[in-house]
Amino acid sequence: MDLLREEIVEKMGNSKLVSKIQVFSELDSTNRYLKELAREGAKEGTVIIANQQSAGRGRLGRSFFSPENTGIYMSILLRPEIELQKSVRITSMAAVAVARAIEKVSGIEAKIKWVNDIFLNGKKVCGILAESGFNTMTGALDYVVLGIGVNVGTIEFPEELKEIATSVCNECKYTVTRTELIVEILKELEYWYPSLQDGGFLKESKERSLLLGNEILVVGTGESSYQAKALDLDDMGHLWIEKAGKKELLHSGEVSIKI
Ligand code: BTN
């Protein structure tokens, strides 16, 4: 069944963050569409939701499986008034917010796989993709489109995802509706968004980390990969690792992690 905008708006009530919600039966990508609106001057807090995506995007140029009726495909427009270097915190802040929302509705501990994936029982249920736009004259941050994709009721996954992906309803015993999870996510985002400034979300980010203290495989852009130990997160949400006895700081744009 299609998602109902009125139901989402009613359950949301007043929000300090959300200014407008639009729901579509289908879009190619909610991130792509909202970036277009952002460039045309849309307001912070504009939320775009689709019942399915024909070209859902993931990190590092990957696609995001976005079948109809079973997932949340949502993008939120942010125009944070913070120093540019702090804007890299957005994905980590959002991961904390979304993990808490998923845990609240499912009753299952939600873990964060640095930097943008949420896991339930060792499998991915959610991916986050933050895409930024800059003022071409000044170089200042103009907007961030925060894209969130959650497998809520999906039962069948394509062959290549079967072993690594799951859905909220697959993992928990009771029914979770997309509407209630959308509302929870938006409420948690409203709560955590101000903590971008002082990094207040970082403690919880570490507590929910799937990686810290564990051996990981770091896969670089050129398919080169190496073993390392995940040590800690710094104040910006970058990952400290130990590689061949030496400490190194990883930035999320450059690598993917296997566990
Ligand atoms: C990832 O797993 O690498 C990130 C996936 C992000 C998917 C969401 S779904 C809503 C928004 N629109 C997109 O095209 N992508 C994000």
Side-chain angles (χ1 to χ4, degrees), residues 107-212:
I108 300 171
E109 187 182 33
K111 305 290 275 182
I112 299 170
K113 179 172 163 255
W114 184 81
V115 57
N116 67 317
D117 293 339
I118 312 296
F119 274 53
L120 288 184
N121 297 331
K123 285 185 167 185
K124 175 169 169 172
V125 282
C126 166
I128 297 169
L129 176 67
E131 298 186 273
S132 305
F134 299 89
N135 182 311
T136 43
M137 306 296 275
T138 62
L141 181 68
D142 183 16
Y143 66 82
V144 178
V145 165
L146 179 64
I148 298 166
V150 192
N151 308 322
V152 181
T154 320
I155 297 169
E156 286 289 316
F157 287 92
E159 204 52 44
E160 68 277 13
L161 296 179
K162 270 184 182 153
E163 298 299 315
I164 49 174
T166 189
S167 64
V168 177
C169 292
N170 265 350
E171 299 304 318
C172 78
K173 293 192 176 58
Y174 36 89
T175 311
V176 172
T177 69
R178 289 181 295 165
T179 302
E180 66 176 314
L181 185 49
I182 286 170
V183 171
E184 262 335 303
I185 290 172
L186 292 173
K187 286 187 172 165
E188 289 286 347
L189 276 174
E190 178 186 344
Y191 176 81
W192 290 97
Y193 186 36
S195 75
L196 272 184
Q197 190 57 261
D198 67 0
F201 62 90
L202 279 160
K203 182 172 172 283
E204 182 144 351
S205 198
K206 293 184 194 188
E207 286 165 2
R208 290 187 179 274
S209 173
L210 208 56
L211 304 190
L212 296 187

Side-chain angles (χ1 to χ4, degrees), residues 28-32 48 53 55-60 62-64 66 72-75 116-117 124 126-129 131 145-150:
D28 53 347
S29 154
T30 56
N31 264 31
R32 191 215 47 80
I48 300 296
Q53 296 183 119
R57 301 181 190 177
R59 258 181 86 234
L60 305 171
R62 298 185 186 126
S63 61
F64 187 77
S66 311
I72 294 172
Y73 318 113
M74 171 163 79
S75 300
N116 67 317
D117 293 339
K124 175 169 169 172
C126 166
I128 297 169
L129 176 67
E131 298 186 273
V145 165
L146 179 64
I148 298 166
V150 192

Side-chain angles (χ1 to χ4, degrees), residues 33-88:
Y33 180 65
L34 187 52
K35 282 199 288 181
E36 201 177 295
L37 298 186
R39 285 190 290 266
E40 288 164 5
K43 233 178 126 185
E44 169 158 271
T46 302
V47 177
I48 300 296
I49 301 170
N51 191 48
Q52 63 177 311
Q53 296 183 119
S54 55
R57 301 181 190 177
R59 258 181 86 234
L60 305 171
R62 298 185 186 126
S63 61
F64 187 77
F65 179 56
S66 311
E68 62 179 338
N69 302 335
T70 63
I72 294 172
Y73 318 113
M74 171 163 79
S75 300
I76 301 116
L77 179 59
L78 303 176
R79 297 190 186 272
E81 288 174 8
I82 50 171
E83 301 91 299
L84 190 57
Q85 87 259 24
K86 287 187 180 170
S87 67
V88 299

